[in-house]
Amino acid sequence: MTEQLFAWLDERLDLSGLRAFVAEKTVPVHRHSVWYYMGGITLFLVGVQVATGILLLLYYRPSASEAYESVQFIVSQVEFGWLIRNLHSWSANLLILMAFVHLFSTFFLRAYRKPRELTWITGVLLLFIMMGFGFSGYLLPWNELAFFATKVGTGIAGALPFVGDFMVRFLRGGDDVTGATLTRFYGIHVAILPAMTTALLGTHLLLIQRQGMSVPPSVEKREKAGETIPQEPFFPNYVLHDVMWWYVALAVLAALALFLPWELGKKADAFAAVPAGIRPEWYFLAMFQTLKLIPSHVLGFEGEMLGVMGFNVAAVLLFLVPFLDRKNPDGRQNPFITFAGVVAVVYLIVFTIYGYLAA
Amino acid sequence: MVTRRNFLDRLLALGFVSTAVSILYPVWRYIIPPAAAEPATDSVIAGKIAEFKPNTGALVKFGTKPAILVRTSDGQFKAFNAVCTHLECTVQYKAETSQIWCACHNGLYDLSGSVVSGPPPRPLEVFKVNLRGEPGQEDVVISRA
């Protein structure tokens, strides 16, 4: 029966070809191999987000008068509703953390080199989209913290030259953060960003499958010197290793969701004072803290505008990394790229911690 | 004869199946909506007595369901659950015949809630009506009998 079904599908879809590809595919084994799994963990967490997100949609209501109450209903009345929401919130944070780890590991292993520039670019785009998911999803429970964080966050877009005012109105669906903003963020969170993710993630994964795993320059050098780099079969060895890491991620996620429930807080009230200690999610904290430190005017420019422009320049540089990394004339790797990466990591960690302590 | 490889394969499969079950069980429980958590309404104020003319009927909100308040030609008040017992359409008052009528399948009830004709299997649930307050300014209060 199974064989017949396989034969039927094979005739139409050439599954044998695919099976042969998977059977022959190998993954290099070396002392940096462990970093290969970071992308897999990120992918696993995306899966968790899709599954729990769809479940939350069954009860969530995207309007200013009902959003908070519907989340309250989910966590207090629906069986396992608390679990689904905690998983979604925690998994979102772990996902962004793992996306950063994945980004920096591919950066330091220089996996973006030719011919993998497009894999890098789609990856950076995906990271920004994930942050967009975080920002838009944060508002959806319509609680006090989220309300004011969104006010501040969308307000920052207003610092952009020329398009600032338009961007603020565009993001908020009006001049202020209201129910219109909530509906808009909901649409962005459950339709626009998922559609973009599907296309980009599909491309990202397809490129990885087509081109195989990149090996870091040190391993490449050994290969060129005639050494054979050990390989392991993609299936089942590598896949099972991947699954093992997914179990690790699942264990961490489940522990967080069980023991550290995500608070719902108070319902948003446009006429209430901003609660003390307000700050954005941790992945925006470094930027938030930087903006706080820039003086209000620098050389006749508005400080905030300069800060926001700086972040934009940094984002463009991040996209261009594969094209900026040129080998030295003597064939050695460009040490400036590694240095810039270390500075970026140190800056992000220090300013995130600083942001926590300063709030 | 179970070989070691065979045994380990089965152990792995058992692990995957347990994972699937421990994920699917909460999901299954989650997608079943919880029993209605809405508070049961016991009484509502339909309005002032002067708002209701003789030989008219009005629909009022009774919790999450509609109720029908009828003032008969002789000035008496009657109230019923306005959900037809046939297929849950909302009924209305028919002034010409002084009856309660369901437009969906032509069910007819009299002013005691009993079925006169049509498909409804049971009479309408009868609510109590009380007048409260100063004479001429009374509130019409509907409550569960």
Side-chain angles (χ1 to χ4, degrees), chain B residues 49-79:
Chain B
I49 188 165
E51 293 167 30
F52 306 99
K53 305 269 173 291
N55 199 27
T56 59
L59 288 170
V60 291
K61 245 180 103 175
F62 193 81
T64 55
K65 297 257 157 64
I68 184 163
L69 177 71
V70 176
R71 191 165 191 187
T72 59
S73 311
D74 55 4
Q76 273 190 316
F77 280 105
K78 307 235 175 199

mmCIF file of all heavy atoms in Angstrom, chain B residues 49-79:
data_model
loop_
_atom_site.group_PDB
_atom_site.id
_atom_site.type_symbol
_atom_site.label_atom_id
_atom_site.label_comp_id
_atom_site.label_asym_id
_atom_site.label_seq_id
_atom_site.Cartn_x
_atom_site.Cartn_y
_atom_site.Cartn_z
ATOM 1 N N ILE B 49 -42.552 52.428 32.199
ATOM 2 C CA ILE B 49 -43.853 51.870 31.808
ATOM 3 C C ILE B 49 -44.471 52.621 30.626
ATOM 4 O O ILE B 49 -45.073 52.012 29.732
ATOM 5 C CB ILE B 49 -44.814 51.855 33.036
ATOM 6 C CG1 ILE B 49 -46.098 51.081 32.690
ATOM 7 C CG2 ILE B 49 -45.143 53.255 33.522
ATOM 8 C CD1 ILE B 49 -46.907 50.720 33.923
ATOM 9 N N ALA B 50 -44.223 53.961 30.572
ATOM 10 C CA ALA B 50 -44.839 54.779 29.525
ATOM 11 C C ALA B 50 -44.276 54.477 28.138
ATOM 12 O O ALA B 50 -44.867 54.827 27.116
ATOM 13 C CB ALA B 50 -44.656 56.261 29.854
ATOM 14 N N GLU B 51 -43.081 53.826 28.101
ATOM 15 C CA GLU B 51 -42.473 53.541 26.793
ATOM 16 C C GLU B 51 -43.204 52.433 26.043
ATOM 17 O O GLU B 51 -42.975 52.224 24.858
ATOM 18 C CB GLU B 51 -41.006 53.106 26.981
ATOM 19 C CG GLU B 51 -40.094 54.206 27.496
ATOM 20 C CD GLU B 51 -38.758 53.652 27.957
ATOM 21 O OE1 GLU B 51 -38.309 52.619 27.411
ATOM 22 O OE2 GLU B 51 -38.170 54.250 28.884
ATOM 23 N N PHE B 52 -44.028 51.682 26.753
ATOM 24 C CA PHE B 52 -44.673 50.528 26.115
ATOM 25 C C PHE B 52 -46.161 50.775 25.962
ATOM 26 O O PHE B 52 -46.892 50.869 26.936
ATOM 27 C CB PHE B 52 -44.415 49.268 26.939
ATOM 28 C CG PHE B 52 -42.939 49.029 27.190
ATOM 29 C CD1 PHE B 52 -42.355 49.394 28.398
ATOM 30 C CD2 PHE B 52 -42.133 48.479 26.195
ATOM 31 C CE1 PHE B 52 -41.011 49.199 28.629
ATOM 32 C CE2 PHE B 52 -40.781 48.289 26.420
ATOM 33 C CZ PHE B 52 -40.205 48.647 27.634
ATOM 34 N N LYS B 53 -46.617 50.916 24.715
ATOM 35 C CA LYS B 53 -48.032 51.160 24.424
ATOM 36 C C LYS B 53 -48.773 49.826 24.438
ATOM 37 O O LYS B 53 -48.180 48.782 24.159
ATOM 38 C CB LYS B 53 -48.182 51.778 23.023
ATOM 39 C CG LYS B 53 -47.370 53.052 22.820
ATOM 40 C CD LYS B 53 -48.194 54.283 23.173
ATOM 41 C CE LYS B 53 -47.368 55.552 23.136
ATOM 42 N NZ LYS B 53 -46.359 55.655 24.201
ATOM 43 N N PRO B 54 -50.086 49.863 24.737
ATOM 44 C CA PRO B 54 -50.864 48.628 24.693
ATOM 45 C C PRO B 54 -50.844 48.008 23.291
ATOM 46 O O PRO B 54 -50.730 48.722 22.296
ATOM 47 C CB PRO B 54 -52.280 49.074 25.074
ATOM 48 C CG PRO B 54 -52.079 50.334 25.842
ATOM 49 C CD PRO B 54 -50.875 50.997 25.251
ATOM 50 N N ASN B 55 -50.973 46.664 23.273
ATOM 51 C CA ASN B 55 -50.945 45.872 22.029
ATOM 52 C C ASN B 55 -49.661 46.092 21.211
ATOM 53 O O ASN B 55 -49.694 46.231 19.995
ATOM 54 C CB ASN B 55 -52.195 46.155 21.174
ATOM 55 C CG ASN B 55 -52.409 45.025 20.160
ATOM 56 O OD1 ASN B 55 -51.994 43.887 20.396
ATOM 57 N ND2 ASN B 55 -53.041 45.347 19.047
ATOM 58 N N THR B 56 -48.523 46.164 21.923
ATOM 59 C CA THR B 56 -47.228 46.204 21.218
ATOM 60 C C THR B 56 -46.284 45.211 21.895
ATOM 61 O O THR B 56 -46.526 44.781 23.027
ATOM 62 C CB THR B 56 -46.556 47.587 21.295
ATOM 63 O OG1 THR B 56 -46.349 47.931 22.667
ATOM 64 C CG2 THR B 56 -47.359 48.658 20.579
ATOM 65 N N GLY B 57 -45.245 44.896 21.184
ATOM 66 C CA GLY B 57 -44.204 44.035 21.756
ATOM 67 C C GLY B 57 -42.849 44.678 21.530
ATOM 68 O O GLY B 57 -42.673 45.453 20.591
ATOM 69 N N ALA B 58 -41.905 44.422 22.430
ATOM 70 C CA ALA B 58 -40.556 44.977 22.269
ATOM 71 C C ALA B 58 -39.531 43.912 22.621
ATOM 72 O O ALA B 58 -39.730 43.115 23.532
ATOM 73 C CB ALA B 58 -40.384 46.199 23.159
ATOM 74 N N LEU B 59 -38.410 43.928 21.875
ATOM 75 C CA LEU B 59 -37.320 43.005 22.188
ATOM 76 C C LEU B 59 -36.342 43.724 23.112
ATOM 77 O O LEU B 59 -35.980 44.872 22.867
ATOM 78 C CB LEU B 59 -36.602 42.560 20.911
ATOM 79 C CG LEU B 59 -37.395 41.594 20.030
ATOM 80 C CD1 LEU B 59 -36.708 41.400 18.694
ATOM 81 C CD2 LEU B 59 -37.593 40.249 20.732
ATOM 82 N N VAL B 60 -35.955 43.059 24.183
ATOM 83 C CA VAL B 60 -34.970 43.652 25.099
ATOM 84 C C VAL B 60 -33.849 42.639 25.331
ATOM 85 O O VAL B 60 -34.032 41.425 25.197
ATOM 86 C CB VAL B 60 -35.604 44.058 26.454
ATOM 87 C CG1 VAL B 60 -36.536 45.223 26.277
ATOM 88 C CG2 VAL B 60 -36.310 42.884 27.095
ATOM 89 N N LYS B 61 -32.665 43.197 25.672
ATOM 90 C CA LYS B 61 -31.524 42.330 25.938
ATOM 91 C C LYS B 61 -31.667 41.688 27.302
ATOM 92 O O LYS B 61 -31.862 42.387 28.290
ATOM 93 C CB LYS B 61 -30.248 43.185 25.927
ATOM 94 C CG LYS B 61 -29.314 42.830 24.810
ATOM 95 C CD LYS B 61 -28.086 43.697 24.867
ATOM 96 C CE LYS B 61 -26.952 42.867 25.439
ATOM 97 N NZ LYS B 61 -25.688 43.586 25.436
ATOM 98 N N PHE B 62 -31.600 40.374 27.350
ATOM 99 C CA PHE B 62 -31.656 39.664 28.624
ATOM 100 C C PHE B 62 -30.382 38.836 28.707
ATOM 101 O O PHE B 62 -30.314 37.713 28.202
ATOM 102 C CB PHE B 62 -32.915 38.794 28.679
ATOM 103 C CG PHE B 62 -33.231 38.267 30.039
ATOM 104 C CD1 PHE B 62 -33.891 39.064 30.972
ATOM 105 C CD2 PHE B 62 -32.850 36.983 30.425
ATOM 106 C CE1 PHE B 62 -34.183 38.577 32.239
ATOM 107 C CE2 PHE B 62 -33.130 36.501 31.693
ATOM 108 C CZ PHE B 62 -33.795 37.296 32.606
ATOM 109 N N GLY B 63 -29.341 39.422 29.306
ATOM 110 C CA GLY B 63 -28.034 38.762 29.281
ATOM 111 C C GLY B 63 -27.526 38.754 27.850
ATOM 112 O O GLY B 63 -27.479 39.801 27.205
ATOM 113 N N THR B 64 -27.232 37.557 27.342
ATOM 114 C CA THR B 64 -26.745 37.483 25.962
ATOM 115 C C THR B 64 -27.857 37.096 25.003
ATOM 116 O O THR B 64 -27.624 36.970 23.810
ATOM 117 C CB THR B 64 -25.636 36.427 25.841
ATOM 118 O OG1 THR B 64 -26.139 35.193 26.334
ATOM 119 C CG2 THR B 64 -24.411 36.814 26.648
ATOM 120 N N LYS B 65 -29.076 36.887 25.558
ATOM 121 C CA LYS B 65 -30.177 36.437 24.709
ATOM 122 C C LYS B 65 -31.254 37.513 24.643
ATOM 123 O O LYS B 65 -31.365 38.339 25.546
ATOM 124 C CB LYS B 65 -30.790 35.161 25.321
ATOM 125 C CG LYS B 65 -29.806 33.995 25.368
ATOM 126 C CD LYS B 65 -30.114 33.020 24.254
ATOM 127 C CE LYS B 65 -28.923 32.181 23.868
ATOM 128 N NZ LYS B 65 -28.450 31.295 24.916
ATOM 129 N N PRO B 66 -32.080 37.509 23.596
ATOM 130 C CA PRO B 66 -33.175 38.476 23.553
ATOM 131 C C PRO B 66 -34.396 37.969 24.330
ATOM 132 O O PRO B 66 -34.633 36.770 24.408
ATOM 133 C CB PRO B 66 -33.503 38.555 22.058
ATOM 134 C CG PRO B 66 -33.100 37.225 21.514
ATOM 135 C CD PRO B 66 -31.986 36.705 22.381
ATOM 136 N N ALA B 67 -35.104 38.923 24.921
ATOM 137 C CA ALA B 67 -36.383 38.588 25.558
ATOM 138 C C ALA B 67 -37.443 39.438 24.869
ATOM 139 O O ALA B 67 -37.132 40.495 24.316
ATOM 140 C CB ALA B 67 -36.334 38.905 27.040
ATOM 141 N N ILE B 68 -38.672 38.965 24.849
ATOM 142 C CA ILE B 68 -39.737 39.780 24.250
ATOM 143 C C ILE B 68 -40.706 40.210 25.355
ATOM 144 O O ILE B 68 -41.137 39.394 26.173
ATOM 145 C CB ILE B 68 -40.450 39.027 23.097
ATOM 146 C CG1 ILE B 68 -41.491 39.939 22.432
ATOM 147 C CG2 ILE B 68 -41.079 37.712 23.550
ATOM 148 C CD1 ILE B 68 -41.939 39.445 21.064
ATOM 149 N N LEU B 69 -40.943 41.520 25.402
ATOM 150 C CA LEU B 69 -41.866 42.082 26.390
ATOM 151 C C LEU B 69 -43.117 42.531 25.641
ATOM 152 O O LEU B 69 -43.034 43.305 24.692
ATOM 153 C CB LEU B 69 -41.216 43.290 27.084
ATOM 154 C CG LEU B 69 -42.090 44.026 28.091
ATOM 155 C CD1 LEU B 69 -42.302 43.189 29.352
ATOM 156 C CD2 LEU B 69 -41.471 45.353 28.475
ATOM 157 N N VAL B 70 -44.261 41.986 26.045
ATOM 158 C CA VAL B 70 -45.516 42.310 25.353
ATOM 159 C C VAL B 70 -46.420 43.060 26.311
ATOM 160 O O VAL B 70 -46.564 42.670 27.474
ATOM 161 C CB VAL B 70 -46.217 41.014 24.872
ATOM 162 C CG1 VAL B 70 -47.570 41.333 24.229
ATOM 163 C CG2 VAL B 70 -45.330 40.247 23.898
ATOM 164 N N ARG B 71 -46.991 44.193 25.848
ATOM 165 C CA ARG B 71 -48.035 44.841 26.636
ATOM 166 C C ARG B 71 -49.349 44.533 25.924
ATOM 167 O O ARG B 71 -49.540 44.914 24.761
ATOM 168 C CB ARG B 71 -47.815 46.348 26.717
ATOM 169 C CG ARG B 71 -48.731 46.969 27.745
ATOM 170 C CD ARG B 71 -48.334 48.355 28.141
ATOM 171 N NE ARG B 71 -49.103 48.768 29.324
ATOM 172 C CZ ARG B 71 -49.082 49.972 29.826
ATOM 173 N NH1 ARG B 71 -48.311 50.912 29.291
ATOM 174 N NH2 ARG B 71 -49.801 50.271 30.892
ATOM 175 N N THR B 72 -50.224 43.820 26.603
ATOM 176 C CA THR B 72 -51.463 43.373 25.961
ATOM 177 C C THR B 72 -52.428 44.545 25.810
ATOM 178 O O THR B 72 -52.183 45.622 26.345
ATOM 179 C CB THR B 72 -52.139 42.276 26.797
ATOM 180 O OG1 THR B 72 -52.413 42.823 28.086
ATOM 181 C CG2 THR B 72 -51.231 41.058 26.944
ATOM 182 N N SER B 73 -53.508 44.318 25.065
ATOM 183 C CA SER B 73 -54.476 45.380 24.808
ATOM 184 C C SER B 73 -55.067 45.924 26.094
ATOM 185 O O SER B 73 -55.396 47.114 26.194
ATOM 186 C CB SER B 73 -55.618 44.849 23.930
ATOM 187 O OG SER B 73 -55.078 44.177 22.822
ATOM 188 N N ASP B 74 -55.183 45.068 27.113
ATOM 189 C CA ASP B 74 -55.750 45.557 28.379
ATOM 190 C C ASP B 74 -54.666 46.074 29.325
ATOM 191 O O ASP B 74 -54.917 46.256 30.525
ATOM 192 C CB ASP B 74 -56.619 44.475 29.046
ATOM 193 C CG ASP B 74 -55.868 43.180 29.237
ATOM 194 O OD1 ASP B 74 -54.647 43.154 28.917
ATOM 195 O OD2 ASP B 74 -56.459 42.188 29.698
ATOM 196 N N GLY B 75 -53.447 46.298 28.811
ATOM 197 C CA GLY B 75 -52.416 46.967 29.609
ATOM 198 C C GLY B 75 -51.532 46.057 30.443
ATOM 199 O O GLY B 75 -50.613 46.533 31.110
ATOM 200 N N GLN B 76 -51.775 44.754 30.395
ATOM 201 C CA GLN B 76 -50.945 43.822 31.179
ATOM 202 C C GLN B 76 -49.586 43.608 30.521
ATOM 203 O O GLN B 76 -49.445 43.743 29.312
ATOM 204 C CB GLN B 76 -51.647 42.467 31.235
ATOM 205 C CG GLN B 76 -52.638 42.323 32.347
ATOM 206 C CD GLN B 76 -53.060 40.861 32.441
ATOM 207 O OE1 GLN B 76 -53.322 40.226 31.413
ATOM 208 N NE2 GLN B 76 -53.114 40.347 33.657
ATOM 209 N N PHE B 77 -48.570 43.279 31.335
ATOM 210 C CA PHE B 77 -47.248 42.963 30.786
ATOM 211 C C PHE B 77 -46.984 41.466 30.823
ATOM 212 O O PHE B 77 -47.309 40.799 31.797
ATOM 213 C CB PHE B 77 -46.149 43.679 31.588
ATOM 214 C CG PHE B 77 -45.996 45.115 31.198
ATOM 215 C CD1 PHE B 77 -46.485 46.136 32.024
ATOM 216 C CD2 PHE B 77 -45.361 45.463 30.013
ATOM 217 C CE1 PHE B 77 -46.353 47.460 31.667
ATOM 218 C CE2 PHE B 77 -45.212 46.793 29.658
ATOM 219 C CZ PHE B 77 -45.712 47.794 30.487
ATOM 220 N N LYS B 78 -46.390 40.972 29.737
ATOM 221 C CA LYS B 78 -45.971 39.569 29.685
ATOM 222 C C LYS B 78 -44.569 39.552 29.079
ATOM 223 O O LYS B 78 -44.253 40.380 28.227
ATOM 224 C CB LYS B 78 -46.882 38.756 28.754
ATOM 225 C CG LYS B 78 -48.348 38.885 29.070
ATOM 226 C CD LYS B 78 -48.944 37.529 29.279
ATOM 227 C CE LYS B 78 -50.405 37.644 29.726
ATOM 228 N NZ LYS B 78 -50.834 36.401 30.345
ATOM 229 N N ALA B 79 -43.745 38.619 29.530
ATOM 230 C CA ALA B 79 -42.400 38.530 28.947
ATOM 231 C C ALA B 79 -41.997 37.078 28.748
ATOM 232 O O ALA B 79 -42.380 36.206 29.544
ATOM 233 C CB ALA B 79 -41.391 39.236 29.833
#
